[in-house]
Amino acid sequence: MEERLWTKKYLFSLLLVFGVNMGYALLNSVMAIYGRVLTSSSVVGGYMITVFTLSALFIRLFIKKLNEKINNKNLLIIGLILTIIAAIGYCFSKNVYLFLLFRIIHGLGFGISLTCATAISNEYVPASRLSEGVGFTSSANTIANATGPTIALAILGKKYTNFISLFLLLLVISLITFCFSFFIKSSTKSNVDKKEKQSYKGIIICMVFFLATFSQGAVNNYLTSYTKDLGLGNIGLFFTITAVVTFISRFFSKRIQDFFGMRKLSFILTLIMAASVFMISLIKNETQLFLLAIPCGLATGLLFPIFNYRIIQTVDASQFAFATSIYYCGLDIGYGLSAIAWGYVVQYFGYHVIYVLAALLLIVMAMIDQIVYKKI
């Protein structure tokens, strides 16, 4: 008989993951706008995003050491306290340097709390259904990332002036998530000795995963500017369709994995992703773009959780937080570096070229990944 996945404690853990990520999703999409509000400079908005991302990445590099001394639940609480401090700070920061300080604090809190909330959620998944559970845990992030920007823009209004209300909403969500965190049970600490050598195999898998996130960064970071350059209208529906397809894909991911096998499926999904990204370079209208959102959402919706699952499989249950931090580092570094690298490509060669190059990079990744599968 198949073990139950949808237990009360697992559902509750998904709410925690959603609450933590919503704080990120609410602000990150509007920081460029707020930078102009404080300083009349869009560059400052870029700094607000960069310092947040770098501080989250920085703290994730030390999650394993922290988790050897502090269990997942207490680390989650610490991360949420930092987020609450940042939310309060946002409300009173009229100086850009003070605001950047609280962005750093928020990044540290987010890096800790999302990693630990995700690790706790994965702890509640039966071992026989881990790949499926990892996918649904990722869905909590997907839903937050899809709804957060929409909620933020609705609160700000047409003139983008109501930032205090947005910061207060962040504070309320963080306080609710903080209160919920006391009801979970997780005394797990990272095992100092057991499987120490084996755990670092996850880093090798993450290096392959980096190629996927770096390529996906061409879509996440530059699609809006590209379509504006083409003279297309509002393409927000592309991201909505992608999020919906990604979420729906979780419900049949296990059947597809069982049918193809994870190695063959990863290869197929990477090629689908490559074809979708390449086709973006050829679009002429919104309809073509919206249709491409379906294979894009399907490929990322199934492929990214597979990498997460593979990284988790390289460690024992005591090191889920460490494995999760490796996965999120792959996301942070890939998306962060791609914003800079693809920007230079756009500057010298134009938008079309970045999607062609990103597609080629995905094909290279597919071949490298097959080799890594044989070794690990």
Side-chain angles (χ1 to χ4, degrees), residues 305-343:
I306 286 176
F307 274 104
N308 194 0
Y309 171 73
R310 287 168 60 190
I311 293 170
I312 289 174
Q313 283 290 92
T314 64
V315 302
D316 60 26
S318 75
Q319 296 190 47
F320 274 2
F322 169 57
T324 303
S325 70
I326 293 174
Y327 173 77
Y328 282 126
C329 281
L331 284 173
D332 291 341
I333 297 172
Y335 288 150
L337 289 181
S338 69
I340 300 170
W342 293 129

Side-chain angles (χ1 to χ4, degrees), residues 35-312:
R36 291 197 297 270
V37 169
L38 285 183
T39 66
S40 300
S41 170
S42 58
V43 175
V44 173
Y47 289 145
M48 291 175 178
I49 296 171
T50 300
V51 297
F52 179 93
T53 303
L54 290 178
S55 55
L57 174 61
F58 172 79
I59 199 64
R60 279 173 180 147
L61 297 176
F62 297 95
I63 284 292
K64 187 174 189 295
K65 290 296 181 183
L66 289 171
N67 198 214
E68 288 173 358
K69 298 178 174 61
I70 307 172
N71 65 43
N72 287 338
K73 177 179 178 177
N74 290 336
L75 271 178
L76 171 62
I77 291 172
I78 291 170
L80 289 170
I81 289 173
L82 291 173
T83 302
I84 290 168
I85 292 171
I88 295 171
Y90 290 153
C91 295
F92 296 99
S93 298
K94 304 302 180 184
N95 179 289
V96 65
Y97 297 105
L98 186 59
F99 192 87
L100 286 172
L101 173 63
F102 285 113
R103 286 295 285 168
I104 292 171
I105 294 172
H106 191 182
L108 294 172
F110 175 75
I112 294 171
S113 54
L114 182 61
T115 300
C116 293
T118 304
I120 291 169
S121 183
N122 290 334
E123 283 180 39
Y124 291 157
V125 177
S128 62
R129 303 188 69 176
L130 185 58
S131 63
E132 187 181 3
V134 165
F136 279 109
T137 302
S138 297
S139 293
N141 288 330
T142 301
I143 295 170
N145 287 327
T147 57
T150 304
I151 294 170
L153 291 171
I155 290 173
L156 291 180
K158 293 181 179 179
K159 295 184 178 180
Y160 304 108
T161 55
N162 205 6
F163 276 94
I164 293 298
S165 296
L166 186 62
F167 299 149
L168 287 173
L169 177 60
L170 168 63
L171 178 59
V172 170
I173 291 174
S174 300
L175 285 170
I176 293 172
T177 308
F178 175 72
C179 293
F180 280 0
S181 68
F182 286 95
F183 293 95
I184 64 168
K185 295 180 180 179
S186 177
S187 58
T188 304
K189 290 184 180 180
S190 180
N191 193 311
V192 180
D193 300 314
K194 193 175 181 181
K195 295 191 178 180
E196 183 80 14
K197 206 168 182 181
Q198 182 185 358
S199 67
Y200 286 96
K201 291 181 179 179
I203 296 175
I204 299 172
I205 298 173
C206 185
M207 291 171 68
V208 179
F209 178 56
F210 161 80
L211 298 177
T213 59
F214 187 87
S215 300
Q216 181 66 18
V219 178
N220 291 0
N221 296 322
Y222 289 98
L223 186 62
T224 302
S225 300
Y226 170 49
T227 53
K228 184 179 179 181
D229 193 54
L230 289 175
L232 304 185
N234 188 336
I235 52 92
L237 185 59
F238 173 87
F239 297 104
T240 303
I241 295 172
T242 300
V244 170
V245 173
T246 296
F247 178 69
I248 293 174
S249 71
R250 313 295 193 207
F251 289 93
F252 53 86
S253 60
K254 189 175 187 300
R255 292 180 183 177
I256 295 177
Q257 288 174 16
D258 291 343
F259 181 80
F260 286 102
M262 206 166 284
R263 179 179 177 182
K264 185 184 291 185
L265 180 60
S266 293
F267 184 76
I268 294 170
L269 290 171
T270 305
L271 293 184
I272 292 174
M273 188 176 172
S276 303
V277 171
F278 174 75
M279 291 297 291
I280 289 175
S281 70
L282 305 177
I283 60 168
K284 302 297 182 184
N285 53 57
E286 292 97 330
T287 302
Q288 293 174 350
L289 179 64
F290 296 154
L291 288 174
L292 286 175
I294 297 173
C296 278
L298 180 66
T300 56
L302 294 174
L303 184 63
F304 282 30
I306 286 176
F307 274 104
N308 194 0
Y309 171 73
R310 287 168 60 190
I311 293 170
I312 289 174

